[in-house]
Amino acid sequence: MVVPQERSFELRNGLVLTAKHWKTGGDCRVRDARRFLAFHGFLDNAASFDLLAPLMLQQLGPEPVEIVALDLAGHGMSSHRQSEDYGLWRYVEDADQVVEQLGWQKHALIGHSMGGAAASMYAGLFGSRLTVTILLDNFGPFTRSIEDQPDHLLEHIQEKKNMPNKRLPFHPTIDSACQARSKSGQWEIEYESAKMLVPRGLRPVERTDEQGNTVQGWTWSTDQLLTIRSAQSLSEKYVQAFVQRITSPVLAVLASRGVANMMGMVEERKSWMTKTEVTIKVVEGGHSVHMENAPAVAREVCPWILAQDIGEVARL
């Protein structure tokens, strides 16, 4: 089994992004459609791909395969933003710099949930460098009507004002943090998935108990700014402008028990995508289906990639 390397990328604004890097084939050239940049979902991290990535390495072989799964800014072990917001376009800008540092001229893209939203925007901007785009229980950014956006901004301002009064969650053990993550409402994941994901998103912390004793424990490493509403939401027209520019083949693997009303969004937005071919597959599982049911996701993703037959065959 291939053990991923830990990577880091320092961006021009001083931000440092960390990543997990899987690669087979040694120094052999990797075909463009076997080279993936992977974006995780909201409040997750690069470990989100710990089950799917090894399956892709195996099933896309014997050719060399390369997967770089980022900890997006403010997540996992990556830096927090100091003077910028967490708009989706920021992740796209960050990813552009990572690709530049990797020296990739062309590559494939895979994104789950929020990472899929960022991937769809990236695909709309950098179509000439993308071979394929894979979305996991996502089909572009969520939106709000333009009329709602003043209220949305007011909510952001008020929530940001209240942030200093918010106490960070405290978990006495990593296991208790995993238990909490596995019961987090709409976005809950199975406990086994939480055990894989959560440790990368924790940092040690101390607190004083009622007896005045110092107690060691854990809290989330995620930037607290991510837990409040963003300053600006997107409109459907805005998203359409990006999505209709996508030229790389698109595969959307949706979860049978994933985001509500996803199929309605897919049908409407698919009609915008006149410059590419779109394939939709549904796999049994919840929103984090690539963790809960990675073999089923791989069975959809890998044959589809092989069928695209894009790029020069690697020399083994």
Side-chain angles (χ1 to χ4, degrees):
M1 183 175 178
V2 177
V3 177
Q5 293 183 332
E6 290 290 341
R7 296 285 303 271
S8 62
F9 304 90
E10 184 171 356
L11 308 186
R12 286 186 285 272
N13 59 4
L15 196 73
V16 177
L17 299 186
T18 50
K20 303 188 78 166
H21 186 182
W22 290 265
K23 189 175 186 296
T24 59
D27 294 329
C28 293
R29 182 182 181 277
V30 180
R31 197 201 303 215
D32 295 334
R34 308 291 194 277
R35 183 185 289 127
F36 298 88
L37 190 64
F39 300 157
H40 61 75
F42 180 61
L43 302 184
D44 288 348
N45 57 62
S48 169
F49 294 97
D50 277 4
L51 295 180
L52 182 60
L55 294 172
M56 292 176 65
L57 298 182
Q58 179 183 19
Q59 295 178 28
L60 294 175
E63 285 190 36
V65 179
E66 188 171 10
I67 302 171
V68 175
L70 293 174
D71 285 326
L72 297 174
H75 296 76
M77 300 191 297
S78 286
S79 301
H80 296 181
R81 298 198 188 281
Q82 299 302 310
S83 60
E84 299 171 337
D85 58 44
Y86 283 97
L88 286 174
W89 49 86
R90 301 290 188 193
Y91 298 126
V92 174
E93 183 181 13
D94 295 345
D96 177 51
Q97 293 184 54
V98 170
V99 170
E100 185 179 275
Q101 292 185 38
L102 287 167
W104 292 355
Q105 299 303 310
K106 286 183 175 290
H107 64 93
L109 197 60
I110 184 166
H112 167 245
S113 192
M114 181 193 74
S120 66
M121 293 182 69
Y122 184 104
L125 287 177
F126 302 113
S128 63
R129 72 170 64 153
L130 278 185
T131 54
V132 298
T133 301
I134 300 165
L135 307 176
L136 304 176
D137 210 39
N138 175 270
F139 210 73
F142 290 126
T143 60
R144 292 183 66 160
S145 69
I146 294 174
E147 293 76 15
D148 286 344
Q149 295 198 21
D151 286 337
H152 185 91
L153 179 57
L154 279 172
E155 291 166 1
H156 164 80
I157 292 171
Q158 188 59 52
E159 289 181 10
K160 191 172 182 180
K161 192 183 298 184
N162 293 335
M163 274 189 61
N165 301 321
K166 292 179 66 175
R167 188 176 183 183
L168 289 173
F170 179 86
H171 299 284
T173 66
I174 292 177
D175 183 70
S176 68
C178 293
Q179 294 282 358
R181 180 63 180 85
S182 68
K183 300 172 183 176
S184 53
Q186 182 182 3
W187 310 115
E188 67 182 28
I189 59 177
E190 293 180 348
Y191 175 67
E192 290 302 315
S193 298
K195 287 200 299 183
M196 173 184 67
L197 182 71
V198 164
R200 192 177 180 91
L202 293 174
R203 62 179 177 86
V205 70
E206 294 181 348
R207 78 169 183 182
T208 303
D209 65 16
E210 295 177 355
Q211 286 73 43
N213 301 314
T214 299
V215 181
Q216 306 288 333
W218 302 89
T219 193
W220 309 115
S221 62
T222 309
D223 192 339
Q224 286 294 96
L225 276 175
L226 286 162
T227 65
I228 67 173
R229 294 184 185 277
S230 59
Q232 185 177 11
S233 55
L234 306 181
S235 68
E236 280 293 293
K237 284 290 186 182
Y238 185 100
V239 172
Q240 183 178 0
F242 284 84
V243 170
Q244 66 187 12
R245 288 166 52 101
I246 296 175
T247 56
S248 60
V250 175
L251 170 66
V253 180
L254 309 181
S256 63
R257 293 178 279 105
V259 176
N261 303 318
M262 178 65 75
M263 287 308 300
M265 177 190 293
V266 169
E267 289 306 313
E268 180 178 4
R269 294 183 175 182
K270 186 178 176 182
S271 69
W272 303 341
M273 303 168 73
T274 58
K275 298 178 181 179
T276 187
E277 292 188 6
V278 181
T279 302
I280 309 296
K281 298 290 185 179
V282 179
V283 169
E284 173 61 29
H287 179 54
S288 297
V289 67
H290 63 307
M291 290 187 277
E292 296 177 10
N293 199 357
V297 172
R299 284 195 295 271
E300 297 295 351
V301 167
C302 294
W304 180 83
I305 293 170
L306 293 171
Q308 304 309 307
D309 195 27
I310 296 170
E312 178 186 352
V313 177
R315 295 175 181 175
L316 297 176

